[in-house]
Amino acid sequence: MRNSAEVVIIGGGVIGVAVAYHLAKQGCRDVLVLERDYLASGATGRCGAGVRQQWGTEMNLRMSIPSVKMFESMNHDLEYDGDIEFKQGGYLLLAYTEVGWEQFQKNVALQQQHGLGVRLCTPEEAKEIVPHLNTEGLVGATYNATDGHCNPFHVTDAYAKAARRLGVEIQTFTEVTAIRRSNGQIVGVETTRGPVATKTVVNAGGAWSGQLSAMAGVEIPVRPERHQILVTEPVAPMQGPMVMSFHHHLYCQQTPHGSFIMGLGDPSEVAGFNQRASWQFLEEMAQKITWLLPPLRGVRVVRQWSGLYEMTPDRTPILGGVSGVEGLFLATGFSGHGFMLAPMTGVLLAEAILGLPASLPIEKMDLGRFARGELFYEPSVV
Amino acid sequence: MLGTRSEIFSSGGKQKMTSLDQQIIICRCEDLTLSDVRGLIEKGYRTLDELRRISRLGMGPCQGRTCRPLVQRELQAGGVPMKSQSIGVIRPPAMPITLGAIADGSEEGQKDA
């Protein structure tokens, strides 16, 4: 392992490797990625694998729409020897209350302004899109055909391989134990395999990014929160879109491989690093999904697990530099949608680190917004 | 996926492949052969966790009951001693079970309560 690097990225999830790739692509090749476990072992490899553009804030739209464009050509652009399994079967979002429906109408107006081909649907139209949907109690829905699914392991693998070809070093099973600063400047990191001198550190540590930032003396408002999920045996293709209900806190999608992936948010989940799977989740998930999508009654569950969202107060990522600590960059706080925003995050962080013109006003997404009171509020999170 | 499989699993060629290796199924749920597994190990996927995630090995209905010991043996042959191998996390449910059975069972439980 090298003992100095221009940039050290902490975290070998999809965010860390995407940032590494875009740095190298811009010519900054002296980059070291440090991952405590194996690549995609945290939230990336545990996520629902959905790719969505139907957001309620301008920033998430401006992050997600170009990210989808990048997923569309990723196999080619990264010269991947596998397949990222990108499937654009759409997302169907369901509203069960008048308040929820009003929010959807506002969201769709904003999304259409940003060029998204999204539309409002009556319950009957929703049933045409997903014929096995139980429309009982449904007020309306929104549908966007270019949303979909992508394989998080393969996306991470594709970025990692492309980054390595450009000279990036990626070390797994290597934990960062300290971040060194001298006055207001980052000067290095300590790891379980020795020290590395560097003037630039990217914190892409997901749920653990709060602990990592604290090593550099910076407090960030990131709260780890367990979310549970299950996967079924593969069955013949029967459902194109992701079906999602914020009212029921659930989502359910059939992957190109044939299995169904579904998850449920628990509003009473306490903050913490608990990643155990619970029987209560399995029961509640089965009850809700067999009511909403009745033919799934006959499909077998093969595995359940959980992962950690890193939640911010406004459910929007924290990106870019930190005032007062020269050389520390944050790429965290994704609040459950880091995988789908990873492509654009890689672009934006590389630009910020290298001082290049920014594709988006990334400075609005910085850590300082919490002190300034300039929060976003993303209404559409399960 | 099937179309690209040969590319994903093609080996650097360190370990000699025979046509038989390409016919020996290691993971029945996902149709992975001995040569697929050896190719991945040679490419640098050197833990069960990494192999499972890149290839779906052991992620099907049997959840690795058949293939896990076979893959561990191959990892050992590929230079990862058995004693330093992690078997990864064995996740519930113990056996595949339909969503309907879980939903009905829990409704039954609520009636009793």
Side-chain angles (χ1 to χ4, degrees), chain A residues 157 283 287 297 301 303-304, chain B residues 45 63 92 97 100 104 106:
Chain A
D157 193 47
E283 230 179 50
Q287 283 176 344
R297 285 187 61 83
V301 178
R303 189 167 61 255
Q304 65 172 121
Chain B
Y45 302 98
Q63 287 294 289
I97 178 169
D104 291 348
S106 53

Side-chain angles (χ1 to χ4, degrees), chain B residues 13-52:
Chain B
K14 236 192 289 172
Q15 202 164 0
K16 198 166 182 211
M17 300 284 180
T18 66
S19 59
L20 194 61
D21 294 343
Q22 288 159 23
Q23 290 165 33
I24 297 173
I25 299 288
I26 295 289
C27 172
R28 296 184 296 193
C29 302
E30 295 292 338
D31 278 346
L32 297 175
T33 66
L34 183 57
S35 73
D36 290 337
V37 172
R38 286 182 175 168
L40 286 167
I41 292 170
E42 281 184 18
K43 279 191 164 187
Y45 302 98
R46 300 183 74 81
T47 63
L48 263 178
D49 277 321
E50 289 166 294
L51 288 167
R52 295 199 307 193

Side-chain angles (χ1 to χ4, degrees), chain A residues 1-2 5 7-21 24 29-40 155-174 193, chain B residues 44 50:
Chain A
M1 189 169 92
R2 66 187 80 181
V7 181
V8 169
I9 297 170
I10 308 173
V14 68
I15 298 294
V17 293
V19 173
Y21 166 74
R29 297 177 176 207
D30 184 14
V31 176
L32 175 63
V33 179
L34 299 173
E35 163 55 45
R36 169 172 70 176
D37 212 318
Y38 51 89
L39 295 182
V155 170
T156 306
D157 193 47
Y159 273 123
K161 281 177 174 161
R164 278 178 166 140
R165 280 197 306 272
L166 293 172
V168 169
E169 180 175 344
I170 300 175
Q171 292 293 349
T172 54
F173 302 100
T174 307
R193 293 169 64 196
Chain B
E50 289 166 294

